[in-house]
Amino acid sequence: MSKKAVLGAVAAAIVVAYGGSTWWTGSKVRSIYDTALDEMPKQTALVRVAERKYERGFFGAVSTVTLEIGCAADTPTAPAVAQAPAAKPAEGEEQPEEDEDRDETEAKPPKPLRLTFRDTIHHGPIAGGKFAAATIDSELVLDIKGQAEAEKLFGKAKPLTAFTKVGFDGSYAIDMAVAPVKLAEEGKGQLAWQGAQAHIEVNAARTKARYDMTMPGLDFNDAAKGLQMKMGKFTAKADMDNSAGWFLATGKTEGRLEAFEFSATKGLAGNVDADAPAGTHKPLKVLLQNVDLTGEATIKDGLYASDAALKGQGKIGETSIDRFEMSSGARRIHAAGYKKLADAYLQSSVAAGCGKSSKATQAAMKALADQLAPDLKAMAKYSPEFGLDKMVVEIGGKRGEVSYTAGMVGVTDEDLQAPGMALLLKRGVVKANARLPVQWLEQIAATGAESGQTPPPEMVAGLVEQGEEKGFVKRDGEHVTGQIEFSEGSLKVNGKPLNALGK
């Protein structure tokens, strides 16, 4: 065989192989789309695929999908009930009240929002200059009216864009951007948001996701109401596993907000009384800085647990907050039971509030609650607990702390036969603790005394002493403390039964 013939055969083999690879990657991408769109309506009753179109070529494809968000237009509602005009009361008789049944002439639910996305797909193995099963350029599609409205906010920039690289194993990575927003009305105020960017990685089975997100900042002011809000750079990242469902996603998240500032020169009442002159209402200014957020969720032995924490520093008015810290959590939540409750609620158009003004919908909500009640009660056997584990504030070297937890303890199969409220009273446990500097109470009293809402600060020490004598609080040096506990059907304050206080 001649050299030219050999080269020709090799070239032909490459073309056939590339063509076969392109066809295979095109089929794989189409399969990914079909699976994802088929699964979407199963997640919630409020999101539906209204239209889908997939135009496939050899080297690429175009997918156009329209999502409908909100109550479906055909959501079942109670039929309107015709009402006869009320007879005019005889002289001396009182006018009868409006019959509540008239609420059956139910208002239509809000019109659902429709969003259309267009994906331009390039098939691999060389897709858009990259070695991948496919690359995808996505954008939001707007009609003429939508484009005009979008230009008021985003200018000529595309509101939303995304670039996706699909791996040969079906995994994919997305780089997404939301364009900056700028809106201003002379003499009224302005909004300037610097947009957002995100990088998301998802495995082939769509059970694990990792993301990084950045929002550079926001600036808003309303001159008429004297309001101003500024938000510095916010970043967040997460590594999540949603094998058990998004409501039971496990993994770690963290975020950081560089600064948040809010000021109301006319005070909060200025929101209502916008025409009030400056100085009528007491101004308010809040500043938060270096705010860190963390979260972690796990599932072990079928029980879900989550913890979240927030800490930072700031200033309210002229008072500097040296440190604030808050942590909360939920523990021993039966994962299977929780998933069943969450799925039933999310897939119910009734629970989503569609047509909620009718008696028929209220009856449907009650039926849903009755249906889920046994599963909710069964979760009590695992001693679930949630609460604010700690909230600490440090001001001027003084530290205050509060916490609470609520849960169920010692529930047996026999207990589950009792009505829900009886079960709660028998096995429910609530604990709350507080430890505050007396100086803070005096400062709060001084502030409130100006408007007559609190006693004078010089009376605080006496009131604390009276509370201590009756057992409602305890004095611990410069602090006043208190503890409340409800368990086994009884309420205790600082370790003593409520009915024993003051004796």
Side-chain angles (χ1 to χ4, degrees):
M1 182 180 292
S2 68
K3 190 174 183 179
K4 288 184 178 180
V6 172
L7 291 175
V10 171
I14 291 174
V15 169
V16 171
Y18 186 85
S21 298
T22 300
W23 184 257
W24 177 82
T25 56
S27 300
K28 189 170 187 65
V29 172
R30 175 67 184 270
S31 175
I32 292 173
Y33 266 81
D34 288 341
T35 301
L37 293 175
D38 288 342
E39 289 179 355
M40 186 175 294
K42 300 175 183 179
Q43 305 300 316
T44 171
L46 289 180
V47 179
R48 297 165 298 283
V49 179
E51 298 175 12
R52 55 195 282 191
K53 185 178 181 182
Y54 198 95
E55 301 171 285
R56 180 181 171 185
F58 186 77
F59 291 104
V62 175
S63 170
T64 305
V65 176
T66 298
L67 300 180
E68 196 173 72
I69 304 172
C71 297
D74 59 351
T75 298
T77 58
V81 178
Q83 298 286 342
K88 184 176 181 180
E91 186 175 350
E93 292 183 1
E94 294 184 1
Q95 177 72 34
E97 295 183 2
E98 291 290 331
D99 191 342
E100 292 183 359
D101 288 345
R102 294 192 180 215
D103 191 43
E104 284 294 310
T105 57
E106 182 180 345
K108 293 182 179 179
K111 188 177 179 180
L113 173 68
R114 291 171 71 94
L115 296 175
T116 299
F117 298 91
R118 180 168 56 230
D119 295 339
T120 302
I121 305 163
H122 308 278
H123 295 158
I126 305 299
K130 297 182 181 296
F131 187 65
T135 59
I136 305 168
D137 291 297
S138 306
E139 61 181 321
L140 181 65
V141 180
L142 301 171
D143 57 21
I144 296 177
K145 182 179 179 181
Q147 290 176 6
E149 292 298 321
E151 283 188 9
K152 295 178 182 178
L153 299 174
F154 302 97
K156 296 298 183 180
K158 293 181 179 180
L160 174 67
T161 57
F163 174 79
T164 304
K165 180 180 177 181
V166 182
F168 293 100
D169 62 350
S171 62
Y172 54 92
I174 306 172
D175 287 296
M176 183 183 302
V178 181
V181 171
K182 190 169 185 179
L183 181 65
E185 292 188 57
E186 188 174 352
K188 293 185 178 180
Q190 68 174 11
L191 168 68
W193 181 55
Q194 297 177 38
Q197 302 83 39
H199 177 77
I200 307 166
E201 298 178 3
V202 182
N203 71 336
R206 295 187 299 283
T207 56
K208 294 183 179 181
R210 178 182 300 169
Y211 74 80
D212 291 274
M213 180 184 71
T214 300
M215 291 194 295
L218 177 146
D219 192 341
F220 165 80
N221 71 72
D222 186 325
K225 296 180 179 180
L227 300 177
Q228 185 173 29
M229 182 178 71
K230 292 183 178 182
M231 188 174 78
K233 184 179 180 180
F234 174 73
T235 57
K237 63 180 181 179
D239 195 344
M240 308 298 294
D241 185 331
N242 67 310
S243 303
W246 282 110
F247 263 82
L248 290 168
T250 59
K252 296 182 179 182
T253 60
E254 61 181 76
R256 182 176 178 83
L257 176 62
E258 290 184 351
F260 174 85
E261 183 177 347
F262 174 81
S263 63
T265 57
K266 296 182 179 180
L268 295 179
N271 293 332
V272 179
D273 190 8
D275 296 327
T280 303
H281 303 292
K282 191 172 182 179
L284 173 68
K285 187 173 183 178
V286 177
L287 173 65
L288 303 179
Q289 293 176 305
N290 304 320
V291 180
D292 292 315
L293 307 96
T294 59
E296 183 174 6
T298 60
I299 296 179
K300 185 177 181 181
D301 298 329
L303 300 179
Y304 178 78
S306 66
D307 292 286
L310 176 152
K311 63 181 180 179
Q313 58 193 73
K315 192 174 184 180
I316 299 179
E318 298 303 318
T319 302
S320 294
I321 302 174
D322 304 322
R323 180 173 77 98
F324 64 84
E325 182 179 347
M326 181 173 68
S327 60
S328 60
R331 291 162 284 274
R332 298 182 298 279
I333 309 300
H334 187 232
Y338 180 58
K339 186 178 187 304
K340 184 176 181 180
L341 294 174
D343 287 346
Y345 188 85
L346 286 174
Q347 293 168 12
S348 169
S349 60
V350 174
C354 299
K356 61 183 178 182
S357 62
S358 72
K359 285 188 175 181
T361 302
Q362 293 173 11
M365 277 294 293
K366 184 179 183 304
L368 178 63
D370 291 344
Q371 174 190 341
L372 299 177
D375 297 295
L376 183 61
K377 288 171 63 177
M379 292 171 65
K381 287 181 60 177
Y382 300 90
S383 300
E385 180 184 75
F386 69 92
L388 177 66
D389 300 324
K390 178 176 64 175
M391 184 169 74
V392 175
V393 178
E394 292 182 2
I395 300 175
K398 306 292 184 181
R399 173 188 171 111
E401 183 172 347
V402 297
S403 65
Y404 76 84
T405 58
M408 305 289 286
V409 176
V411 177
T412 65
D413 290 332
E414 183 180 353
D415 292 330
L416 294 178
Q417 306 306 312
M421 184 55 67
L423 173 63
L424 193 62
L425 291 174
K426 182 179 180 181
R427 299 299 185 184
V429 176
V430 178
K431 296 180 181 180
N433 296 274
R435 179 183 176 84
L436 301 172
V438 175
Q439 183 181 338
W440 288 8
L441 301 181
E442 293 172 344
Q443 291 174 340
I444 294 172
T447 302
E450 296 176 2
S451 57
Q453 297 177 349
T454 61
E458 57 269 19
M459 293 182 61
V460 170
L463 291 173
V464 170
E465 185 176 343
Q466 291 179 22
E468 187 175 17
E469 290 176 355
K470 295 181 178 296
F472 290 104
V473 297
K474 290 183 177 181
R475 184 70 181 260
D476 183 10
E478 297 180 346
H479 294 79
V480 59
T481 68
Q483 181 188 67
I484 297 175
E485 178 180 342
F486 175 85
S487 61
E488 298 180 346
S490 65
L491 181 64
K492 295 180 180 179
V493 178
N494 295 318
K496 294 181 180 181
L498 183 62
N499 56 14
L501 297 180
K503 296 181 180 180

